[in-house]
Structure formats: C-alpha cells, structure tokens
Amino acid sequence: MSRPIAFHVMVKPHGSLCNLDCRYCYYLSKERLYPDSDFRMSDALLEAFIRQYIAAQRVPEVTFAWQGGEPTLLGLDFFRRAVALQQKHARPGMRILNALQTNGTTLDDGWCRFFAEHGFLVGVSLDGPRPLHDAYRVDKGGRPTFDRVMRGIERLRAHGADFNILTCVHAANADHPLAVYRFLRDEVGAQHIQFIPIVERDNDTGFQEGSTVTARSVSGEQYGRFLIAIFDEWVRRDVGRVFVQIFDVALAAWSGHRPGLCVFEETCGYALAMEHNGDVYSCDHFVEPAHRLGNMQVVPLAELVGSAQQQRFGQAKRDTLPRQCRECPVRFVCNGGCPKDRLLTTPDGEPGLNYLCAGFKAFFTHIDRPMRLMAAELVRGRPPANIMPLLAREDADLARKFAAAGRNDPCPCGSGRKFKHCHGAPRR
Ligand code: SF4
Ligand code: SF4
C-alpha cells in the first residue's frame, strides 16, 4: 500500500437527497444503493471523518469538499459542527478550507453569512440564462429554478461570500456558448467558471455502463465548438479577469506543469467520494458497488485511499489509453479525458476512446498558438494578459487586409480559399 501525500474526498453527508430533479443528474439514482437509509451522516461519523481526513494529509493545507445531492438540506447546524470539529482536529499551523457545491436554491442570509464568515468557497450550478438553465434544472414538481438560483447568488454577493459557477454543457445550451458566457460574466458577475460536459449514459442502472448516451448529452463536436467560441472571446478581453477552469488547465499544461484537474491528468485516483454512512468509492462518478473500496468506520480512510484497488483504478486511466490517444499531439494536455466518458471505439477497433475526443482535439488544437504566447509571457515573468493587446493589433491588421482584398484574391486569413468563398462570402 502506498499512501498519497494528499488526496480529496467529496463528502455526501446527505447522500444523494436533493430538492431538485435535474434531468441529467448522475447522482439522484444513487439513492437506490441505500434503500432503508435516512441519508444523514451521524455526528460520530462526521468527527471520525474529519479527524482521519486531516491526519492522513501530509500537507499544510486541507480542503473539505461538501457535495450531494444538496448538502444544505442537512441544515446549518451540521456545518457549524463540522467547522468546530475541523478546528478541534487541525494541527498547529494547518490551513483548513471548505468548498461546498449547491444548486443555490436554498441559500438565504443565514447560509451566506455563515459561508462568508468561515471562508467557504461555494460552487453554484447555473446553466446560463433563464431558458437554457430551466431546460433541465427543474424541481421535484418539474418547475423551473432559475429565479431561485439567482436569488441565492444575489445573497452570496450581498454577504461577500466567495462563489464560483459550475455550468453543465448539454444539448440545450451547447449551441449558445456566447449567450452562456456573456450572461455569466456580465449579469452574474462570475469570475470563476467551470464548464462540465454532460455525457449521460443511457441505461437503467445509473452506473457507467453501456455505450449509448441520452439525447440530453452534448456531442464531442458541440463541446469543442462551445469551448472555442468562448475561448476566442475570453482571450481577447477577459484574460486575468475571468478564470475558466479548462483554460487554466490548458495554460498549466502548455507551461510544462501538470494540468491540475483529474480529468486531464495522466493518472487519477486522488479524488474519492464518501457516502453519508462512511462508504468510500474510487470517484464521485463511480459510486457503484464495483468501485466501493470499503467503509471508513471499518477500515481507516488512509488505507482505503492507498489500497491496491484504488491504485489500479487511478493507473488504469493511463494504462488503458488506446493507441490513438498515445500518439495524439494533444495528449500532453488531454490524456484521454475522464475514463467515465471513454465509450467509443477507435477506427482501428480499439476500445476506450473518449466520447468527447473530437471536441477535445478541436479545442486543444485551436488554442495552441495563444497558449504558447501566454506560456511564453509567464516564462518571462509577465502576465498572460499581455496577449490581449497583441491579438487586438493582429485583428486590426487583418481587418485592414479584408477591407483591401479583391473577391478572387486569396483570403488574408490564410485559409487558402478565395476571399469570396471565405471571409469575403456574403453573410447569411
Ligand atoms: S474517473 Fe474521471 S472524474 Fe474520477 S478521478 Fe478519474 S478522471 Fe477524475
Ligand atoms: S484528443 Fe482524443 S485522441 Fe487525443 S488524447 Fe484526447 S481523447 Fe485521445
């Protein structure tokens, strides 16, 4: 057994219970794993977890990640106890951080005051402007939730609580990248955004099995176009002002560092999930019997994390890559994506290709030059935001060339096509 220096556990203190019924949610079905449960983490387990989690980390900073379902349904007192227990068990000089993922609909002044006071980072799920958000994010009665989420965000802002936005990219919003991005940036005031592709397996088990996806899923090509459209706007006006997780990951990779997000790491296995009763699973996306490592009330958490089963799980991410990925020019940043989405077969018949491959390849190829430029700025100790005036000059230069180009001239953009069939084609 080799224990990692640090690891993350997404804790589900209220199991999968939620007040919403988001159509694409991968976690609601986990309720079936615990048929007679009240889905409440006991105080004894809460303390045991906090004690063991802190003790197992050999780093000075520890982050607790609270998730669900909807963790706020447990009530504020549960989290007050959690914070008090963290203080009780923290080693001298240790920094304890808390991150909580919520659908935002339950956030009132009490919650937001608490988050601000204790420095919680609150992740709020919001899929874009009203119609795009309400397409799938509905409550148990099928009613829209947009207004309730926006009220929650307003309360967070009013109390000065730290929040980021988690936007799922799916069939309903994937063709509206700029409407989504501009809404989050300009109307929500989001400075940290994650775009999570919905790849939802079409089966009755809720497990990662079968090779078809639901109609709600985004396609690989769509996801690539979505990211490219947002990147092209971001890189011209928002670098250093708005932080989009996958852009940060890419800049790290282009700068020669590890991507820093399990999906794009070579191996994974350091982000586990724990259910309300102490059952520990290899990953939040693999909460299913085959990937249950054990219960931390029976086997210490550190042993479960360092177990051979968990090591195999993490290394399989690299060891099962098909040749197409191993030889791919953007492998250094993509690494085949998350194993949960590897449901395609390569053209030469190898299994294990990521469903989003076309999108990853298009996106990572598209951003190569700007990423090289930003990485070069970083190496010189200068801010990556310096790319914005550079691109502005290039864009202005190109606009002048477009204005001067004749219909049959080669297009100044360098596509190799005639101007009249490229940037000079009449806009429909
Ligand atoms: S299976 Fe996917 S989400 Fe889970 S740890 Fe590995 S890369 Fe991350
Ligand atoms: S872009 Fe496609 S082929 Fe390349 S590493 Fe990613 S999933 Fe594999």
Side-chain angles (χ1 to χ4, degrees), residues 324-325 328 330-331 334-336 353-354 357 360-361:
Q324 183 168 330
C325 290
C328 173
V330 296
R331 181 195 164 178
C334 178
N335 278 313
L353 183 65
N354 199 299
C357 172
F360 286 149
K361 198 169 278 182

Side-chain angles (χ1 to χ4, degrees), residues 47 49-57 59-62 64 82-98:
E47 176 153 18
F49 168 68
I50 289 174
R51 183 170 42 75
Q52 289 193 29
Y53 187 57
I54 289 175
Q57 312 278 345
V59 288
E61 189 174 284
V62 178
F64 284 80
V83 168
L85 289 166
Q86 290 169 345
Q87 284 158 6
K88 176 177 165 190
H89 291 290
R91 295 193 289 276
M94 192 169 230
R95 189 158 177 242
I96 305 273
L97 301 168
N98 284 282

Side-chain angles (χ1 to χ4, degrees), residues 58-217:
R58 290 178 279 158
V59 288
E61 189 174 284
V62 178
T63 300
F64 284 80
W66 307 99
Q67 270 213 353
E70 174 52 43
T72 60
L73 296 183
L74 268 178
L76 201 36
D77 282 344
F78 177 89
F79 290 94
R80 286 201 181 99
R81 284 197 295 280
V83 168
L85 289 166
Q86 290 169 345
Q87 284 158 6
K88 176 177 165 190
H89 291 290
R91 295 193 289 276
M94 192 169 230
R95 189 158 177 242
I96 305 273
L97 301 168
N98 284 282
L100 182 141
Q101 185 62 38
T102 173
N103 61 41
T105 60
T106 59
L107 303 185
D108 58 12
D109 288 321
W111 276 109
C112 297
R113 200 175 299 119
F114 171 82
F115 290 145
E117 190 182 331
H118 294 285
F120 272 53
L121 173 62
V122 184
V124 182
S125 300
L126 176 65
D127 286 359
R130 182 191 300 276
L132 304 183
H133 174 88
D134 284 337
Y136 300 133
R137 297 196 68 85
V138 293
D139 67 13
K140 297 288 188 214
R143 289 175 295 264
T145 60
F146 178 82
D147 289 329
R148 282 175 271 173
V149 180
M150 292 301 284
R151 269 198 298 276
I153 292 173
E154 189 43 51
R155 292 295 85 210
L156 285 167
R157 263 210 302 254
H159 288 275
D162 245 3
F163 70 93
N164 61 27
I165 297 293
L166 190 152
T167 298
C168 290
V169 185
H170 43 64
N173 65 3
D175 290 334
H176 307 278
L178 292 181
V180 171
Y181 179 64
R182 289 172 183 169
F183 169 76
L184 298 178
R185 181 191 64 198
D186 302 336
E187 291 181 47
V188 178
Q191 290 175 329
H192 292 88
I193 306 170
Q194 296 177 28
F195 292 116
I196 309 292
I198 292 294
V199 181
E200 187 192 17
R201 304 258 184 145
D202 196 3
N203 63 36
D204 294 328
T205 62
F207 300 154
Q208 304 292 0
E209 51 195 24
S211 57
T212 51
V213 300
T214 66
R216 290 181 286 262
S217 303

Side-chain angles (χ1 to χ4, degrees), residues 393-419:
R393 282 194 298 277
E394 286 184 3
D395 287 349
D397 188 40
L398 201 54
R400 272 193 301 277
K401 288 180 179 157
F402 285 153
R407 281 170 48 74
N408 289 313
D409 290 344
C411 187
C413 78
S415 66
R417 285 180 289 167
K418 284 188 176 175
F419 182 59

